[in-house]
Amino acid sequence: MGILYTLLILIYLAIAAGLVWVVLLQEPKQGGGDILGGGATDLFAARGVTGGLYRVTIWLGAAFLVLSVIINKIPR
């Protein structure tokens, strides 16, 4: 069980590093109105390269969450 746990931790760390990398690759939104709720209509209207990065971010975030739960449930 120790090898499986170690393997899951390594995958978890790789996903965490990939998530940080993908988030830093994304272009920041322009304008300060986004903080106060302006521009909410284009929240889910991601297109082009940004849309691809958005999807990768969602998948990596979901994988990060699922692996967190799995690692927590494995007895050490």
Side-chain angles (χ1 to χ4, degrees):
M1 194 58 97
I3 294 173
L4 176 64
Y5 184 77
T6 304
L7 181 64
L8 285 177
I9 292 292
L10 290 174
I11 293 170
Y12 186 71
L13 291 174
I15 289 175
L19 189 58
V20 169
W21 181 63
V22 169
V23 167
L24 290 176
L25 279 177
Q26 295 178 9
E27 295 181 19
K29 295 215 178 229
Q30 299 297 324
D34 292 339
I35 296 171
L36 301 175
T41 57
D42 61 355
L43 177 63
F44 297 108
R47 295 189 179 119
V49 174
T50 306
L53 289 176
Y54 177 76
R55 288 184 196 96
V56 170
T57 304
I58 295 296
W59 281 106
L60 284 176
F64 186 83
L65 180 70
V66 168
L67 267 179
S68 297
V69 172
I70 291 172
I71 289 172
N72 187 31
K73 296 295 181 184
I74 291 179
R76 291 176 217 142

